Amino acid sequence: MDWLAPWWPQADRAQTLRGWILLLGALLMILSSAIAHAQPTTIPITLNEGDLFVNAPVGVQKNAIEVRTFGFVSPALAVVRTPSPEPEPPILITSPAAGIHFGPGIVGLTPNRLSIAQTAQSIRVDGVELNVSETLIVPSDGITVTSITPNGDGTQVMLTVDVGVDAVPGLRRLVLIDNDGNVIPELVEKASLVLIEAEGPQIDSITPNRVAQGDVFDLVIRGRNLRGLPFVAERSLDDPNPEVLVTPASGVIVGSRVTVNDEGTLITVPIQILPGASAEPRLVQVSTRSGISSDLSSPANTLNISDQSLRVLDRLTSPLLGVQRGMPELDETFLISSIARVLKGPGVISIDPQTVMLDQTLTLRIQGNELASTSQVQILPADGIDVIDASLSVSDAVVEIDIQIAGDAPLFEREVRLITDNAQ
């Protein structure tokens, strides 16, 4: 029984079925065409040698080759195609402080100074690979190395040295020669320097020895063995100038322009006393390559600073001190100082003696008025004459002080000047 007959007659069914078949065929043709002409989505990326990609997207291509998945499994740090060679280890040349070295060398000498006219003095040489066959000190005049004793591991060599009485003070250089005839270098700059010592410096007097706050002046230091720098200093080791030290140093500026004569008996150095400097005695010392002058204060090395202005007691009759060669009884004199009028207020009337001899020590007597506040006696210019400050004796009418005249003091007149504190 055909149950569809009332609603869908058989004649209509055939026509409807043909329509569905045609529609389905058209859909299949459209789908096939779309599939045939479809192209994958691509991203053109050029890969260079050594490039690194992690989790690359689908569709990466190089040239015309399609790649749908491009994945790498790589460490976090650089990916390379071939292993790189390991770097060469660095060559450590020298670092004596850290104990690293390359080749032999001298680190230091202990002690680094020798005394004149003394035999069998010992020097320990510290260094690296000290295979020493010969040793000398240059210049070698008056100096002989008498024995060489290595310690066996190349780190030390003991030397015995004789220094003659005619050896010249100053710096020398220790030269070590190895078994192959090569000079062993320094690992530390100036490590091979040796000082042939002279006697230490001694100060006989300073001028002026009393100044006021705010003063600027040239300090003149007289003494012996005043030439030469300390062994350790920033300046050149060949610089003959010494160092002048003032202690305590607060409020005092010592100039760098220090001059010293060839004989080492006279130093001149500029000094500035700041206005706020404390009024206290200062120790003056001279430091040279061979040592430092005494640290015991005395009138010869003490600079006194006053918190009040100083003044010079003017003279009415211009007393001068003459230096002459010959007998004091000779008629030749340098001046005659007559009293011209009655003196009122502080001042100098006369000096005795007015003429002195070379190579002589004597007491200089100065007469005047209101002299009790005298703190210093100066002789200007002082070349060849030392004023012995410790001998100063004062009263209201007379000042006495000892002076020493050198055998080579220049023969010309000198001015005698008295210095006193302003508050008398």
Side-chain angles (χ1 to χ4, degrees):
M1 178 177 178
D2 186 2
W3 56 272
L4 291 175
W7 300 283
W8 191 8
Q10 235 177 359
D12 294 336
R13 292 180 193 174
Q15 186 177 356
T16 301
L17 182 60
R18 284 196 302 270
W20 280 108
I21 292 172
L22 291 174
L23 179 61
L24 180 59
L27 290 174
L28 289 174
M29 290 178 63
I30 293 171
L31 182 60
S32 298
S33 177
I35 294 173
H37 291 86
Q39 297 292 334
T41 302
T42 61
I43 302 174
I45 297 177
T46 301
L47 298 180
N48 298 315
E49 186 74 17
D51 286 348
L52 172 63
F53 291 92
V54 179
N55 297 328
V58 174
V60 176
Q61 71 175 20
K62 181 176 183 181
N63 297 330
I65 300 175
E66 179 183 330
V67 181
R68 292 197 178 274
T69 59
F70 196 106
F72 285 88
V73 178
S74 64
L77 297 179
V79 177
V80 295
R81 294 183 180 275
T82 57
S84 296
E86 291 294 326
E88 296 268 345
I91 298 176
L92 302 176
I93 301 301
T94 176
S95 177
I100 303 170
H101 69 276
F102 181 77
I106 300 173
V107 173
L109 308 179
T110 306
N112 56 13
R113 53 190 60 213
L114 298 170
S115 301
I116 294 178
Q118 186 172 334
T119 60
Q121 301 181 70
S122 297
I123 293 181
R124 187 188 76 226
V125 184
D126 294 297
V128 178
E129 300 180 20
L130 299 178
N131 300 316
V132 180
S133 62
E134 184 181 355
T135 302
L136 62 154
I137 295 177
V138 293
S140 59
D141 298 344
I143 303 175
T144 305
V145 179
T146 58
S147 69
I148 305 171
T149 307
N151 70 342
D153 62 4
T155 60
Q156 287 183 357
V157 175
M158 294 299 300
L159 306 178
T160 304
V161 183
D162 293 344
V163 182
V165 294
D166 57 344
V168 178
L171 285 171
R172 313 290 179 96
R173 186 175 296 279
L174 176 68
V175 178
L176 302 182
I177 300 174
D178 64 16
N179 297 329
D180 297 325
N182 300 316
V183 175
I184 298 177
E186 297 176 334
L187 290 183
V188 177
E189 186 180 5
K190 301 175 183 177
S192 64
L193 293 179
V194 182
L195 175 67
I196 307 302
E197 292 183 310
E199 295 183 18
Q202 299 181 37
I203 297 178
D204 293 334
S205 68
I206 61 173
T207 305
N209 63 4
R210 180 175 291 273
V211 295
Q213 294 169 334
D215 282 356
V216 178
F217 57 94
D218 284 340
L219 182 68
V220 178
I221 303 173
R222 291 179 174 81
R224 291 161 286 173
N225 308 317
L226 302 180
R227 190 177 182 84
L229 274 180
F231 187 75
V232 178
E234 294 182 357
R235 290 176 288 179
S236 168
L237 290 170
D238 296 329
D239 188 342
N241 291 346
E243 288 184 331
V244 175
L245 310 175
V246 177
T247 307
S250 60
V252 179
I253 299 176
V254 180
S256 58
R257 184 179 53 82
V258 181
T259 58
V260 58
N261 63 357
D262 292 340
E263 295 76 22
T265 59
L266 182 69
I267 289 176
T268 303
V269 59
I271 300 286
Q272 179 181 0
I273 309 298
L274 299 180
S278 59
E280 60 179 319
R282 310 297 176 103
L283 173 68
V284 177
Q285 292 177 283
V286 174
S287 178
T288 73
R289 290 193 183 113
S290 297
I292 189 169
S293 60
S294 174
D295 59 357
L296 298 177
S297 296
S298 70
N301 62 7
T302 301
L303 179 66
N304 298 283
I305 299 177
S306 174
D307 56 4
Q308 302 182 37
S309 60
L310 305 178
R311 66 171 181 168
V312 177
L313 291 181
D314 293 330
R315 59 192 184 279
L316 297 178
T317 55
S318 301
L320 297 181
L321 177 65
V323 179
Q324 71 176 30
R325 181 182 289 110
M327 298 300 294
E329 292 80 12
L330 294 178
D331 292 336
E332 179 184 3
T333 59
F334 285 83
L335 67 93
I336 296 176
S337 177
S338 57
I339 301 175
R341 57 181 177 268
V342 177
L343 182 64
K344 182 179 181 180
V348 176
I349 297 175
S350 66
I351 60 173
D352 181 41
Q354 293 184 349
T355 303
V356 297
M357 302 295 298
L358 295 175
D359 198 18
Q360 183 182 21
T361 300
L362 53 86
T363 299
L364 183 65
R365 180 181 175 88
I366 305 163
Q367 292 183 304
N369 190 46
E370 298 182 17
L371 304 180
S373 60
T374 300
S375 59
Q376 182 183 2
V377 177
Q378 295 180 353
I379 296 179
L380 303 173
D383 298 352
I385 299 180
D386 284 332
V387 178
I388 304 174
D389 297 305
S391 65
L392 178 65
S393 173
V394 300
S395 66
D396 190 63
V398 177
V399 172
E400 292 184 338
I401 194 166
D402 293 340
I403 61 174
Q404 184 175 5
I405 298 90
D408 57 353
L411 303 179
F412 52 77
E413 297 176 349
R414 318 295 175 95
E415 177 186 358
V416 177
R417 180 178 293 181
L418 303 186
I419 304 296
T420 180
D421 290 333
N422 195 33
Q424 301 186 50

